[in-house]
């Protein structure tokens, strides 16, 4: 009797160089065609259909939001989109802005690389990418850093210009962003949250709330399990009202470590002795087993909501413990460790001063009413440590911690008459806040692609074929897209570029068709955004330009439709369960 072996799922693959180049170039052209449409004051909005029932569609000019929404029915194209998207998103995560510029440069550089290698067969793609990376390290990044204008008390007004450019020319929004930074202080640790409210368009309010920001979100804390915890799909965040905090100085490797405490919290809620059903566990780390159990339980309406959060790590010794001590002073929660195990808790150890926690992909905001005495005591301890600090980096890190603990959080309220308008505004406001924060830390540059054009002119003068035929035209690509989106003809583009070449110190105001001084026109970009856009564009082109094959699972339309139906039914079941529980509570 013969037995047939079970095979792995079938896949599709190709290593045909001509076909690969065609797929890559066409896919990148499609990405740039959509993402690039949003660049500059002449950029267009893109409507993104929501993939979940009950969540409104999104109308945005935000490049990273557009890139995240892209996909393709073609398995090869979809794989390329995912590969390039992951690298491009690093730009916005590290600098807050610049994804669109990174995407345009990457697409142009990849196509130019292909063309160069065809015309120069003795140059392999690997050799070319090594040369491009060498130029990036030795010429491009140093040039950008040398061109950067450092922010100080005398030129602080440049920050508003950076905010205005990132807000797509919305002067009122830029002023509101600056008001928010005025409240918290102009530092890299300043934290601004954005709230969307129904009301008259163009209205902005700024106020200070008691809060504690954390430079870590669900990406690093929860990893691959994070989709199970996201309960605000529209904003891709985890939101918990009135959460209790469990703080542990160590890694939680076994669910048994926290099971007793969680059972007690759940029992108190069910018995009516407590109103708290949301819990945040903060520790040095979590095992995959613990994350798996918590991810399985979180969507269940019959259980308490438990979210794991990893304590941030810094260069200082015992940095996780110091963070837990800061958080303890804000929340009132006790810190447990091996000497004080979690099974020795009492109901006084949980802390009840927090009103809400918002956990985004790479950041977290805690809003509450902390005990002022606890904050003052902890602030005095940090100040003492600052006086005794033995290095500059130690003092900087301590200053940042003190600022987070004592400065609070500025809340920027946006008003709009529709959900689409609010989402679009929120994206621009987020870009402006991140750009200002990056400029405070790393400085700013003359905008309107001025530095990219100058860099292209510098490389063009070196007389190297790789620089002239690949890098230089790629650096000019965002400037051409900026003008194209504003309705300029090819002849007008060339005339304006010639003006830029003739006078390297002036910028072109695309919206008002004026050529002049950057400070007078108010056109500036955050240095970090430009630098990270360039670095990540080179990274994408290095991957795409040296690709030798693609292996992908074929798309199954019927299976995907069924999966979508199952997800919709699951969400409806959760909604019905929540409604049933709420009605039962109201009756009781």
């Amino acid at each position: 009797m013969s037995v047939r072996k079970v095979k792995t799922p079938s896949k599709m693959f190709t290593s045909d160089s001509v076909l690969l180049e065609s797929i890559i170039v066409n896919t990148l052209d499609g990405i740039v065609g959509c993402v690039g449409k949003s660049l500059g004051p002449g950029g267009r909005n893109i409507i993104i259909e929501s993939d979940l029932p009950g969540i409104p569609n999104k109308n945005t000019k935000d490049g990273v939001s557009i890139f995240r929404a892209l996909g393709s029915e073609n398995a090869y194209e979809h794989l390329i989109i995912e590969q390039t998207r992951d690298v491009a998103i690093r730009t916005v995560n590290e600098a807050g802005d610049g994804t669109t510029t990174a995407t345009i440069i990457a697409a142009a550089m990849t196509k130019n690389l292909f063309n160069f290698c065809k015309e120069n067969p003795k140059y392999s793609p690997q050799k070319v990418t090594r040369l491009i990376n060498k130029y990036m390290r030795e010429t491009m990044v140093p040039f950008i850093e040398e061109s950067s204008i450092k922010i100080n008390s005398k030129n602080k007004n440049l920050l508003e210009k950076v905010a205005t450019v990132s807000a797509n020319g919305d002067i009122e929004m830029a002023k509101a962003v600056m008001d928010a930074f005025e409240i918290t202080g102009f530092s890299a640790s300043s934290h601004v949250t954005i709230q969307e409210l129904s009301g008259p368009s163009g209205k902005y309010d700024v106020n200070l709330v008691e809060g504690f920001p954390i430079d870590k979100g669900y990406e690093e804390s929860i990893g691959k399990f994070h989709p199970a915890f996201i309960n605000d799909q529209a904003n891709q965040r985890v939101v918990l009202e009135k959460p209790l905090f469990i703080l542990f100085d160590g890694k939680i490797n076994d669910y048994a470590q926290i099971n007793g405490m969680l059972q007690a919290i759940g029992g108190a809620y069910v018995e009516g002795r407590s109103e708290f059903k949301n819990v945040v566990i903060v520790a040095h780390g979590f095992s995959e087993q613990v994350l798996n159990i918590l991810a399985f339980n979180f969507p269940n309406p019959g259980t308490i909501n438990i979210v794991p959060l990893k304590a941030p790590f810094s260069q200082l010794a015992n940095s996780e413990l110091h963070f837990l001590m800061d958080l303890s002073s804000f929340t009132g929660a006790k810190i447990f460790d091996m000497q004080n195990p979690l099974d020795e808790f009492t109901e006084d150890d949980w802390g009840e001063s927090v009103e809400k926690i918002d956990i985004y992909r790479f950041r977290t905001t805690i809003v509450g009413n902390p005990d002022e005495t606890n904050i003052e005591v902890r602030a005095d301890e940090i100040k003492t440590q600052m006086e005794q600090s033995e290095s500059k980096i130690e003092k900087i890190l301590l200053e940042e911690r003190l600022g987070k603990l004592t400065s609070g959080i500025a809340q920027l309220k946006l008003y709009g008459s529709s959900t689409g308008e609010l989402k679009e505004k929120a994206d621009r406001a987020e870009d402006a806040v991140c750009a200002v924060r990056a400029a405070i830390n790393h400085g700013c540059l003359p905008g309107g692609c001025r530095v990219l054009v100058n860099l292209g002119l510098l490389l063009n003068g070196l007389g190297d074929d790789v620089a002239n035929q690949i890098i230089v035209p790629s650096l000019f690509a965002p400037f051409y897209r900026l003008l194209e989106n504003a309705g300029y003809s090819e002849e007008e583009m060339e005339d304006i570029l010639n003006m830029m070449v003739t006078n390297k110190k002036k910028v072109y105001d695309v919206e008002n068709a004026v050529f002049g001084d950057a400070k007078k026109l108010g056109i500036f970009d955050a240095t970090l955004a430009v630098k990270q856009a360039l670095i990540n564009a080179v990274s994408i082109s290095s991957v795409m330009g040296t690709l030798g094959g693609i292996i992908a699972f074929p798309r199954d339309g019927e299976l995907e439709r069924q999966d979508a139906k199952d997800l919709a039914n699951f969400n409806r079941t959760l909604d019905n369960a929540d409604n049933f529980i709420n009605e039962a509570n109201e009756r009781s």
Side-chain angles (χ1 to χ4, degrees):
M1 176 180 177
S2 63
V3 178
R4 295 183 178 180
K5 293 172 66 177
V6 176
K7 298 294 184 183
T8 58
S10 61
K11 298 178 183 178
M12 50 192 290
F13 60 91
T14 182
S15 58
D16 185 298
S17 299
V18 176
L19 178 59
L20 273 175
E21 181 181 336
S22 174
I23 294 171
I24 293 169
V25 169
N26 290 337
T27 304
L28 291 177
D29 280 343
I31 293 171
V32 171
C34 197
V35 177
K37 280 282 188 183
S38 66
L39 184 67
R44 310 294 200 275
N45 288 343
I46 304 293
I47 295 178
I48 302 172
E49 183 179 6
S50 172
D51 55 355
L52 292 170
I55 302 299
N57 300 326
K58 192 171 189 175
N59 178 37
T60 184
K61 277 185 66 180
D62 181 44
V64 70
S65 297
I66 299 167
F67 210 151
R68 281 191 175 122
L70 292 178
S72 174
E73 292 184 359
N74 183 288
Y76 292 150
E77 291 179 0
H78 191 75
L79 198 58
I80 290 169
I81 290 171
E82 288 187 333
Q83 184 73 30
T84 55
R85 174 170 53 215
D86 289 342
V87 181
I89 285 174
R90 276 191 223 152
T91 307
V92 77
N93 293 336
E94 293 163 359
D97 202 358
T99 299
T100 306
T101 301
T103 306
I104 294 170
I105 296 175
M109 197 170 286
T110 304
K111 288 194 287 185
N112 293 335
L113 191 154
F114 282 136
N115 293 333
F116 181 85
C117 290
K118 281 189 289 188
E119 295 172 3
N120 301 272
K122 292 184 179 180
Y123 278 85
S124 68
Q126 289 79 5
K127 180 180 180 180
V128 173
T129 56
R130 283 194 293 271
L131 290 171
I132 294 173
N133 276 278
K134 183 179 179 181
Y135 274 119
M136 182 193 70
R137 292 191 307 273
E138 298 179 0
T139 306
M140 293 190 276
V141 169
F143 179 83
I144 290 173
E145 291 175 345
E146 290 168 7
S147 304
S148 179
I149 303 170
K150 298 301 180 183
I151 301 297
N152 53 47
S153 57
K154 294 181 180 179
N155 62 2
K156 198 168 66 174
N157 64 313
L158 294 180
L159 293 176
E160 186 172 339
K161 302 182 190 303
V162 170
T164 303
V165 171
S166 290
N168 281 312
D170 191 329
I171 296 174
E172 294 303 317
M173 178 183 287
K175 287 181 178 178
V177 169
M178 295 305 294
D179 289 342
F181 277 93
E182 286 283 357
I183 288 176
T184 59
F186 289 91
S187 71
S189 60
S190 297
H191 204 78
V192 179
T193 62
I194 297 168
Q195 186 178 10
E196 305 158 27
L197 298 170
S198 178
S201 299
K203 181 183 176 183
Y204 303 96
D205 285 331
V206 179
N207 63 288
L208 179 68
V209 295
E210 294 289 347
F212 186 78
I214 304 173
D215 298 327
K216 193 180 290 289
Y218 56 71
E219 176 79 7
E220 193 171 348
S221 296
I222 308 173
K224 65 182 180 181
F225 298 100
H226 75 263
F229 293 89
I230 295 176
N231 55 4
D232 180 3
Q233 293 291 344
N235 294 298
Q236 284 293 290
R237 63 176 178 172
V238 184
V239 183
L240 296 180
E241 302 287 342
K242 295 184 177 179
L244 300 175
F245 276 76
I246 298 174
L247 310 182
F248 184 70
D249 182 24
K251 184 176 180 180
I252 298 178
N253 293 307
D254 192 337
Y255 188 76
Q257 291 176 259
I258 55 176
N259 185 51
M261 178 178 280
L262 297 177
Q263 290 287 349
I265 296 174
Y269 177 75
V270 171
E271 294 169 8
R273 292 185 292 106
S274 167
E275 62 175 331
F276 302 103
K277 66 170 295 186
N278 297 322
V279 180
V280 179
I281 305 176
V282 187
H284 294 205
F286 304 86
S287 69
E288 191 160 301
Q289 177 233 13
V290 172
L291 291 175
N292 192 16
I293 294 174
L294 296 179
F296 179 78
N297 287 333
F298 189 84
N300 186 348
T303 64
I304 59 175
N305 302 315
I306 310 156
V307 175
L309 192 62
K310 196 173 177 182
F313 173 83
S314 73
Q315 297 94 319
L316 296 182
N318 300 319
S319 59
E320 292 102 330
L321 174 58
H322 291 310
F323 167 79
L324 291 175
M325 293 171 71
D326 295 346
L327 185 57
S328 174
S329 68
F330 188 90
T331 62
K334 177 182 176 180
I335 300 175
F336 294 91
D337 53 28
M338 300 304 293
Q339 301 297 323
N340 300 291
L342 289 163
D343 56 9
E344 295 182 0
F345 68 91
T346 68
E347 293 190 10
D348 295 328
D349 299 331
W350 296 334
E352 300 179 1
S353 64
V354 175
E355 294 179 2
K356 187 176 73 165
I357 182 170
D358 293 335
I359 308 174
Y360 293 87
R361 188 175 183 184
F362 293 100
R363 61 184 174 85
T364 298
T365 302
I366 302 173
V367 176
N369 297 297
D371 187 300
E372 292 185 5
T373 302
N374 290 342
I375 297 294
E376 289 175 5
V377 169
R378 185 59 186 158
D380 288 340
E381 291 174 354
I382 296 175
K383 289 175 183 177
T384 302
Q385 294 173 27
M386 287 170 58
E387 293 172 359
Q388 300 172 353
S389 61
E390 299 179 356
S391 66
K392 185 176 180 180
I393 184 65
E394 181 180 1
K395 187 174 182 179
I396 291 173
L397 292 172
L398 288 169
E399 286 176 346
E400 184 176 332
R401 282 174 46 206
L402 181 63
K404 289 179 179 179
L405 193 61
T406 60
S407 298
I409 296 171
Q411 189 175 63
L412 171 58
K413 297 178 181 179
L414 311 175
Y415 294 87
S417 56
S418 68
T419 302
E421 179 189 359
L422 283 170
K423 295 298 179 188
E424 190 271 336
K425 278 188 173 183
D427 285 337
R428 288 192 287 116
E430 183 75 20
D431 283 350
V433 168
C434 292
V436 170
R437 191 180 292 119
I440 291 170
N441 215 18
H442 301 275
C444 61
L445 295 163
C449 300
R450 174 71 269 181
V451 174
L452 293 178
V453 172
N454 284 355
L455 185 52
L457 296 175
L458 172 66
L459 292 171
N460 189 55
L462 300 178
D464 180 76
D465 289 341
V466 170
N468 289 341
Q469 297 181 39
I470 299 177
I471 304 176
V472 173
S474 302
L475 293 174
F476 288 173
F479 185 63
Y480 281 120
R481 172 63 70 167
L482 197 66
L483 297 174
E484 182 184 335
N485 285 349
Y488 288 80
S489 66
E490 291 186 11
E491 290 182 2
E492 290 173 323
M493 292 182 199
E494 292 301 326
D495 290 340
I496 294 169
L497 183 60
N498 289 332
M499 293 165 61
M500 296 277 282
V501 171
T502 304
N503 194 325
K504 299 179 182 179
K505 293 186 177 180
K506 291 188 177 182
V507 301
Y508 187 73
D509 182 346
V510 175
E511 186 170 19
N512 298 306
V514 177
F515 191 65
D517 181 77
K519 290 184 179 179
K520 290 182 179 179
L521 297 177
I523 300 177
F524 283 87
D525 294 324
T527 301
L528 187 61
V530 177
K531 185 170 86 170
Q532 289 302 138
L534 193 57
I535 291 172
N536 290 318
V538 170
S539 176
I540 294 172
S541 61
S542 297
V543 173
M544 292 295 108
T546 58
L547 209 61
I550 304 179
I551 304 170
F553 288 99
R555 307 303 294 268
D556 188 327
E558 184 177 347
L559 183 63
E560 290 179 357
R561 283 192 295 273
Q562 184 59 47
D563 188 53
K565 289 180 182 178
D566 292 342
L567 178 62
N569 290 333
F570 177 74
N571 288 329
R572 277 194 291 271
T573 301
L574 289 183
D575 289 340
N576 292 335
D578 279 335
N579 292 335
F580 177 79
I581 292 172
N582 291 334
E583 290 174 3
N585 289 336
E586 289 175 1
R587 287 195 297 270
S588 61

